[in-house]
Amino acid sequence: MELVGAIIVLIGSIFLFLGALGILRMPDSFNRIQAGTKATTLGTLLSLAGLIFLMPGWWGKLIVLIMFIILTNPVSSHVLARAAHHIKTPLTPQTVIDKYADEENKELDNHKTEVA
Amino acid sequence: MNIKNIIVTTVILFIFWILLDNTFELLNLLLGAGLALFLSLIFCRSCNVFGDMKLTPLGITYTFIYLFVFFIELLKSNLDVARRVISPSLPIKPGIVEVKTSLKSPMGRMILANSITLTPGTLTVDIEEDRLFIHWIEVKTADPEQATNEIVRKFEKYLEKIYG
């Protein structure tokens, strides 16, 4: 039982490590957020799931933690990405398309005509 | 007053009570049920979060199918990111594309956006009415319709059944 838990926690920490590596290696904020969100979600999830095997008495609280992480992790990364785009964080030169920039410019033009 | 909202909120609060309390004594469970009902009656008379959820057997079945599909995608997404991070050449071709959703309910759209963020190579940057802007780590197509088929379809067909 303890061995199973330890192995699951180990796999989780490997994913967390890969997420950290991704944050270092990726070229711009958006790709870093991508690597960060995905690897940490499964990494944290597996670490907590492994703890259920190690500490069976904590299962309820650990499940609550897992649910909160699944709910909040994508929201926070979405808000980070949105804010990064709004302050015009440069995208990597490898970027092939940016539909969102066109949309923001359109909004800005509308605003200008309204003010004028 | 929306009966459905109050019922769903009560059930969720009660489940949280059981998970946090972790003892299965009758008195504790009754207290939890009472508190859950009381709190949702106070705070959820005008909220409209679960209003368009379908509480039919079909809707509940699809909720479970959806959770299953979601976990498979979550696993795939992590392996995908791990592969990209490890490979020395860093194979990425990022870009922000636009996709459309046919979901009407705000809750359904929120779940769709969150699911997209947690699945292979995609990150929701913004949502405006029925258009989602998605950062894609490996852009396969710039055409909105093809991108919609590629990214949104696999979740939408289940969420349509649950949220209409």
Side-chain angles (χ1 to χ4, degrees):
Chain A
M1 198 71 159
E2 275 191 8
L3 189 70
V4 175
I7 290 172
I8 297 177
V9 173
L10 180 70
I11 298 173
S13 35
I14 290 173
F15 274 112
L16 285 173
F17 168 72
L18 288 175
L21 193 67
I23 291 178
L24 276 176
R25 287 200 69 197
M26 289 295 180
D28 70 351
S29 346
F30 298 97
N31 291 305
R32 285 187 177 138
I33 294 170
Q34 288 251 19
T37 322
K38 290 176 183 101
T40 51
T41 311
L42 192 69
T44 326
L45 226 140
L46 284 176
S47 305
L48 293 173
L51 271 182
I52 295 180
F53 286 96
L54 291 174
M55 296 278 177
W58 295 359
W59 68 273
K61 284 161 188 128
L62 289 170
I63 286 175
V64 172
L65 279 178
I66 289 176
M67 285 201 288
F68 275 127
I69 282 170
I70 291 182
L71 278 177
T72 54
N73 220 339
V75 176
S76 59
S77 60
H78 147 70
V79 174
L80 278 174
R82 189 160 177 265
H85 207 283
H86 275 296
I87 59 168
K88 308 230 176 331
T89 311
L91 284 89
T92 161
Q94 285 163 290
T95 306
V96 277
I97 184 175
D98 188 357
K99 280 267 173 72
Y100 191 45
D102 308 341
E103 183 65 24
E104 276 186 333
N105 289 338
K106 217 186 292 167
E107 267 172 39
L108 212 61
D109 289 345
N110 286 343
H111 185 67
K112 271 180 197 154
T113 42
E114 271 169 33
V115 172
Chain B
M1 197 193 269
N2 191 333
I3 304 283
K4 207 201 289 177
N5 261 314
I6 290 174
I7 293 171
V8 177
T9 319
T10 310
V11 170
I12 290 175
L13 285 175
F14 187 52
I15 290 173
F16 267 78
W17 173 274
I18 293 173
L19 287 175
L20 287 173
D21 184 46
N22 220 347
T23 53
F24 289 94
E25 287 158 32
L26 186 64
L27 198 63
N28 271 346
L29 291 182
L30 281 178
L31 184 65
L35 271 175
L37 186 64
F38 179 65
L39 285 175
S40 37
L41 277 175
I42 292 179
F43 291 110
C44 225
R45 264 181 306 195
S46 55
C47 68
N48 198 16
V49 186
F50 305 106
D52 19 60
M53 201 171 159
K54 284 180 190 148
L55 288 178
T56 56
L58 193 73
I60 292 168
T61 319
Y62 270 98
T63 310
F64 283 107
I65 298 176
Y66 176 76
L67 281 177
F68 183 70
V69 172
F70 172 75
F71 270 104
I72 300 282
E73 290 292 322
L74 184 63
L75 267 177
K76 265 164 62 185
S77 126
N78 278 276
L79 295 175
D80 178 72
V81 168
R83 182 178 62 81
R84 277 176 215 281
V85 169
I86 294 175
S87 49
S89 59
L90 207 64
I92 55 169
K93 190 182 154 201
I96 297 178
V97 294
E98 178 191 334
V99 297
K100 275 193 185 339
T101 170
S102 58
L103 294 173
K104 296 281 181 297
S105 103
M107 186 74 174
R109 281 178 185 168
M110 187 200 84
I111 292 178
L112 179 71
N114 277 2
S115 310
I116 288 172
T117 301
L118 287 177
T119 51
T122 50
L123 169 75
T124 313
V125 178
D126 203 358
I127 176 165
E128 241 168 64
E129 298 295 308
D130 62 339
R131 296 182 307 161
L132 289 103
F133 294 93
I134 285 167
H135 183 266
W136 204 353
I137 208 162
E138 190 175 358
V139 177
K140 290 182 194 131
T141 165
D143 179 53
E145 275 187 20
Q146 279 178 27
T148 307
N149 280 334
E150 193 86 18
I151 301 173
V152 180
R153 265 292 137 211
K154 57 190 171 197
F155 295 120
E156 214 176 50
K157 59 186 176 205
Y158 302 111
L159 286 173
E160 261 170 4
K161 299 278 197 315
I162 304 170
Y163 290 101

